[in-house]
Amino acid sequence: MRLPLPRRVVTAALVGPLLLAGCRGEDPAPPPPVASETPAEEPEPEPEAEPEPEPEPTARAPLSGTLLTDEGAAVLAERPVLITKVENSPQARPQAGLDHADVVLEELVEGGVTRFIAILHSDLPDDVGPVRSGRPVDVAIGSGFGESVFVYSGARAQVQGMLRASPMVLLEEGAPGVRRVSDRRPPHNVFIRPAEVLAAGIERGAGPFSVAPWAFADEAPDGALACAADSTGCTDPGASITVPMSRSNRTGWTYDAAAELYRRDQNGQASTVTGSGRIGAANVVVLATRHYTDGCCDTNGAPYSETDVIGEDVAIILRDGQRFDARWRKTAADQPLELLGPGGEPFQLKPGPTWIHLPSSEVVAGM
């Protein structure tokens, strides 16, 4: 019979194997790493991506000469010219959309008042108006822009025949985009939505326009008029101009040097348009034209006042605060209106809106 071992012997038996394990050379567990006193370097931030460069303008708008990107030029290359008659009687003011037109022509009608031929291409506002009746001068002007869209509010039978024989696509009240507004009284309440009437005109055969009829340059040409060195009381010829369209209607322009534009006034009062825009012209052009009466009669019994723009005569052009003597020429209704320098070369307009006035040659001779 085996006797139990003493307690100290049991303990030794348990400890022995541990001591033997240590003697066999097994590595103890490694100590925990000591933190370095030098902090790890932060990774370099990723470089920011370079922004895409803005597209460089490569072309000019045909009627304003303003620079266009390839995308903008492609849009205008597919767009017809939009022409409309805008009233300028006191009941029509303030008009809508004139500050967006590439070109505006001012003609004399009955009673000494004037009307505008607004030509839009590069910029289409929400509204233009009030729109009034067509005249023979509209055929002579509008036919020079190819298969344009012409929007008007009625015309006498003789003029309707002339309009139908022109290359323009005609739209009157009842066409898409032509409507009467409720906040103005007839007949001063016909307005158009340019995008809608252009779409309707294209459906009816209007074609794109892309051939610039005029020359444009950022710098003014040589030959500006100036006061003589020994003159007294001479004012800067290009600082302002007054165009007496009639005894009761005087259009004035004053150069705004800060905006580099001319500002329009009507009989001494600043011209206004609806919305927050202002009328500004990069070029003010005055053409000596022939006035005549044709047909009878308007609602007041007066014969119709008309303007002839086929032919050639003198012109006055203002740009960049300077005044130039020039000439104009239009050989036929379907040919462009040419603006020429003293030597017969194309006059270089400033890029931007152009306003053209059509007073009589007698009036221009006194200017």
Side-chain angles (χ1 to χ4, degrees):
M1 176 176 142
R2 296 185 61 182
L3 297 176
L5 295 173
R7 186 178 300 274
R8 60 179 177 272
V9 176
V10 173
T11 303
L14 294 174
V15 174
L18 297 176
L19 293 174
L20 291 173
C23 294
R24 284 197 295 266
E26 293 185 5
D27 295 331
V34 179
S36 172
E37 294 183 1
T38 304
E41 293 184 3
E42 293 290 333
E44 290 290 332
E46 291 290 332
E48 293 186 6
E50 290 290 331
E52 290 291 330
E54 291 292 328
E56 288 292 330
T58 57
R60 290 188 182 272
L63 297 184
S64 69
T66 53
L67 289 172
L68 301 169
T69 62
D70 287 343
E71 182 180 359
V75 171
L76 290 194
E78 297 298 322
R79 180 182 293 172
V81 168
L82 170 60
I83 305 172
T84 189
K85 289 304 293 290
V86 177
E87 185 182 5
N88 191 34
S89 64
Q91 302 93 324
R93 303 172 196 149
Q95 294 94 345
L98 293 177
D99 51 321
H100 292 262
D102 291 302
V103 183
V104 179
L105 295 96
E106 185 173 22
E107 62 166 312
L108 181 67
V109 294
E110 301 75 45
V113 300
T114 64
R115 285 187 186 166
F116 301 125
I117 305 171
I119 303 176
L120 298 102
H121 191 236
S122 60
D123 187 15
L124 300 180
D126 293 333
D127 289 286
V128 177
V131 174
R132 291 302 298 270
S133 61
R135 297 298 181 99
V137 70
D138 305 325
V139 178
I141 293 295
S143 297
F145 297 98
E147 297 168 332
S148 57
V149 178
F150 180 62
V151 188
Y152 62 110
S153 180
R156 63 187 190 270
Q158 173 196 0
V159 179
Q160 289 281 26
M162 297 171 66
L163 288 168
R164 293 191 186 103
S166 77
M168 300 184 292
V169 172
L170 310 178
L171 296 178
E172 295 186 72
E173 190 174 352
V178 185
R179 73 200 195 284
R180 289 188 180 266
V181 298
S182 59
D183 58 346
R184 303 213 187 189
R185 296 189 176 204
H188 320 290
N189 63 341
V190 180
F191 282 71
I192 66 170
R193 294 190 178 100
E196 293 183 30
V197 296
L198 269 180
I202 291 171
E203 287 185 358
R204 301 183 189 190
F209 181 82
S210 59
V211 179
W214 303 304
F216 293 94
D218 294 327
E219 298 297 325
D222 296 331
L225 302 182
C227 294
D230 57 350
S231 63
T232 58
C234 176
T235 57
D236 184 354
S240 63
I241 193 170
T242 298
V243 185
M245 296 295 297
S246 70
R247 292 179 183 176
S248 59
N249 193 310
R250 301 172 69 84
T251 299
W253 292 94
T254 303
Y255 189 61
D256 180 349
E260 298 183 343
L261 294 169
Y262 287 88
R263 299 298 186 186
R264 185 181 189 276
D265 67 75
Q266 180 92 35
N267 294 334
Q269 300 295 315
S271 296
T272 58
V273 292
T274 59
S276 58
R278 290 187 65 188
I279 292 175
N283 308 284
V284 176
V285 180
V286 183
L287 309 183
T289 60
R290 183 177 72 89
H291 289 188
Y292 63 100
T293 57
D294 183 42
C296 188
C297 292
D298 68 359
T299 54
N300 296 317
Y304 293 105
S305 299
E306 305 296 355
T307 302
D308 185 10
V309 292
I310 306 299
E312 181 178 359
D313 211 322
V314 299
I316 300 168
I317 301 178
L318 277 69
R319 60 159 290 176
D320 296 300
Q322 301 178 78
R323 173 170 168 163
F324 300 84
D325 285 337
R327 294 193 67 82
W328 68 269
R329 179 173 63 205
K330 187 172 173 62
T331 58
D334 61 353
Q335 295 301 304
L337 170 66
E338 299 176 83
L339 301 175
L340 308 172
E345 73 283 358
F347 184 89
Q348 294 179 327
L349 297 174
K350 181 183 179 70
T354 296
W355 279 62
I356 301 174
H357 302 276
L358 308 176
S360 68
S361 55
E362 292 82 9
V363 166
V364 177
M367 295 175 60

